[in-house]
Amino acid sequence: MGHDWLIGVLLFIAMYKWEILLTILSSLSQEEARSISENVTWRLRKKFQDGKFSVGYSRFLGYDKGEDGNLAINEEHAKTVRLIFGLFIEGMTACRIAKELTSRGILTVTGQEKWNAATIKGVLANEKYTGCARIQKTFTPDFLTKKAVKNCGQVPSYFVEQSHPAIIEPAVFEMVQREMERRTKEGRRYSGVSIFSGKIKCGECGGYFGAKVWYSTDKYRRVIYRCNNKYDGKKCQTPHVTEEEIKAAFVTAFNRLVTERAGASCASEEIAANARLVRQTLCDTTDLEQEKASLQQELAVLVEMT
């Protein structure tokens, strides 16, 4: 028993040394991980500078890995990509496009039957469908957490033109990006259900009219528009209007606009003609030239007489 305290001290010293050893080994391991991460990052960025990049082919709709290792168009999937862009340009939302593809029985790139809006938005925003590639959209600032964050200028990014065959024309892609931005600014007001959705503003409360369907399952089916605040806290009292009334009002307003513009065009032409007449009248020096010639002749006669 007399040596128990000595054994305890030795065990304590051993444990203390073991903790120090673990700390040292952990530090060495962390430095090694940092070194490996820096080397990998350097190689990747050098690859990016050379315009080289890689993608997850198994999850990239529209492309396969070609024999040369580059992107090659998968014509069957490319039809789906073109359809997505076409439906969006026609006015559909990402959510509605997803439902449309699902209802048509078109499978996702991973073979799933159901599409979702996030996938559609990813397709619409992917510049690689134009044959170009923006490289290093994200980066990993911490080699320990390995969490990728969006690159907002912290590290260089690269844009490679004509790096692979295009599925979507660049002009079409740019048009889609502008339309996506416009819809984002409109927020929840935008809907692809009707061309009038998000366009009719309530004159009483400032809210927007939305489409509602009455008697959707029988022959008396009607589409009406009413203020979205009608049954909210504001309880807007503005009456609803039918789709036929809106169409008639639109046609009337459009015809009036065309007529007014035509009238304005005629008025502009008349004003321009009057301006030309005034300019011609003010700048016509024929009479002055004749009077000048007459005076010069009289002056010449007087000179001869003297």
Side-chain angles (χ1 to χ4, degrees), residues 128-145:
K128 291 184 178 66
Y129 290 116
T130 65
C132 304
R134 185 171 297 282
I135 308 175
Q136 199 161 244
K137 297 178 184 178
T138 62
F139 73 105
T140 306
D142 191 338
F143 71 95
L144 292 176
T145 62

Side-chain angles (χ1 to χ4, degrees), residues 276-294:
R276 287 193 295 270
L277 179 60
V278 170
R279 184 171 63 251
Q280 181 179 357
T281 302
L282 293 176
C283 298
D284 187 3
T285 60
T286 303
D287 294 339
L288 294 176
E289 293 293 338
Q290 292 177 353
E291 185 176 355
K292 177 182 177 182
S294 176

Side-chain angles (χ1 to χ4, degrees), residues 21-241:
L21 180 60
L22 285 177
T23 302
I24 294 173
L25 291 175
S26 177
S27 299
L28 292 175
S29 177
Q30 183 171 325
E31 286 302 316
E32 183 179 3
R34 184 195 302 276
S35 177
I36 293 173
S37 176
E38 290 177 351
N39 290 335
V40 171
T41 300
W42 182 86
R43 286 198 298 269
L44 284 175
R45 291 182 180 173
K46 182 64 172 63
K47 182 180 177 181
F48 294 158
Q49 290 176 2
D50 296 337
K52 300 177 181 179
F53 61 95
S54 59
V55 298
Y57 292 97
S58 62
R59 303 182 67 86
F60 193 7
L61 181 67
Y63 289 99
D64 292 328
K65 187 174 183 179
E67 296 180 356
D68 58 355
N70 296 323
L71 291 172
I73 295 178
N74 180 318
E75 290 298 339
E76 189 64 28
H77 289 172
K79 293 178 182 178
T80 304
V81 174
R82 297 187 186 101
L83 176 61
I84 291 172
F85 276 83
L87 293 176
F88 185 83
I89 291 174
E90 289 177 7
M92 286 191 182
T93 62
C95 184
R96 191 176 177 196
I97 293 174
K99 292 180 180 179
E100 179 68 19
L101 297 182
T102 301
S103 66
R104 294 190 186 189
I106 299 175
L107 300 180
T108 68
V109 68
T110 57
Q112 302 296 317
E113 295 181 355
K114 187 175 182 180
W115 291 75
N116 60 67
T119 300
I120 301 300
K121 290 179 180 178
V123 171
L124 293 171
N126 196 333
E127 81 290 338
K128 291 184 178 66
Y129 290 116
T130 65
C132 304
R134 185 171 297 282
I135 308 175
Q136 199 161 244
K137 297 178 184 178
T138 62
F139 73 105
T140 306
D142 191 338
F143 71 95
L144 292 176
T145 62
K146 295 182 173 59
K147 183 179 179 181
V149 298
K150 186 177 180 180
N151 181 10
C152 297
Q154 299 93 326
V155 296
S157 63
Y158 307 91
F159 189 79
V160 185
E161 296 182 342
Q162 300 179 351
S163 60
H164 55 278
I167 295 177
I168 300 298
E169 290 294 329
V172 174
F173 181 80
E174 289 301 323
M175 179 170 59
V176 168
Q177 304 316 299
R178 290 195 297 270
E179 177 63 11
M180 289 178 67
E181 183 179 355
R182 185 188 70 82
R183 295 184 188 183
T184 300
K185 289 181 179 179
E186 289 191 3
R188 297 183 63 182
R189 290 194 292 110
Y190 181 81
S191 169
V193 176
S194 167
I195 59 174
F196 299 114
S197 298
K199 303 293 190 303
I200 306 173
K201 193 171 184 179
C202 179
E204 180 176 335
C205 69
Y208 285 87
F209 275 52
K212 305 293 184 293
V213 179
W214 284 357
Y215 309 107
S216 59
T217 58
D218 58 30
K219 62 180 180 179
Y220 299 106
R221 184 181 186 277
R222 296 178 66 194
V223 178
I224 62 100
Y225 284 78
R226 71 183 181 205
C227 181
N228 291 327
N229 294 328
K230 186 173 182 64
Y231 296 106
D232 287 347
K234 297 181 180 180
K235 299 290 184 181
C236 181
Q237 300 301 315
T238 303
H240 71 269
V241 290

